[in-house]
């Protein structure tokens, strides 16, 4: 009569990995070295986007929502800031 059901909480490792990929991508966007934003940052941003979808499918919609929004909205803004830093570093004679 007194059955105890074990409540298992799933660890959101895909969501954590998405944040790590986003952080590395954003650093690659800001560093004023030619090609790092395009060849390192954007592929990592794509990986973070996919990991956010995996987190949402495993742990529910709230588990990867912020990572997905950051990948779609914040990353292009940070990339444009990185372009401005790059232009300021190499364009200011």
């Amino acid at each position: 009569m007194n059955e105890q059901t074990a409540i298992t909480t799933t660890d959101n490792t895909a969501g954590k990995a998405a944040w790590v990929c986003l952080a590395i991508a954003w650093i690659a966007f800001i560093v004023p070295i030619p090609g790092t934003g395009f060849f390192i940052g954007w592929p990592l941003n794509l990986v973070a986007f996919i990991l956010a979808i995996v987190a949402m499918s495993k742990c529910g919609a709230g588990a990867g929502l912020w990572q997905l929004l950051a990948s779609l909205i914040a990353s292009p803004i940070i990339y444009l800031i990185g372009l401005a830093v790059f232009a300021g570093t190499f364009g200011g004679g």
Side-chain angles (χ1 to χ4, degrees):
M1 293 228 190
N2 241 350
E3 290 183 31
Q4 292 182 352
T5 58
I7 299 174
T8 58
T9 59
T10 57
D11 196 22
N12 190 6
T13 56
K16 292 175 186 175
W19 280 123
V20 170
C21 285
L22 281 171
I24 295 170
W26 293 341
I27 290 170
F29 289 156
I30 295 294
V31 172
I33 298 173
T36 57
F38 191 73
F39 293 113
I40 296 172
W42 285 117
L44 280 173
N45 192 41
L46 177 64
V47 169
F49 179 80
I50 293 169
L51 284 171
I53 293 173
V54 168
M56 291 172 70
S57 68
K58 280 187 162 186
C59 302
L65 181 65
W66 291 109
Q67 294 92 331
L68 188 72
L69 291 175
S71 176
L72 292 174
I73 297 170
S75 290
I77 294 171
I78 294 172
Y79 182 72
L80 291 175
I81 292 170
L83 284 178
V85 169
F86 181 74
T89 302
F90 292 109

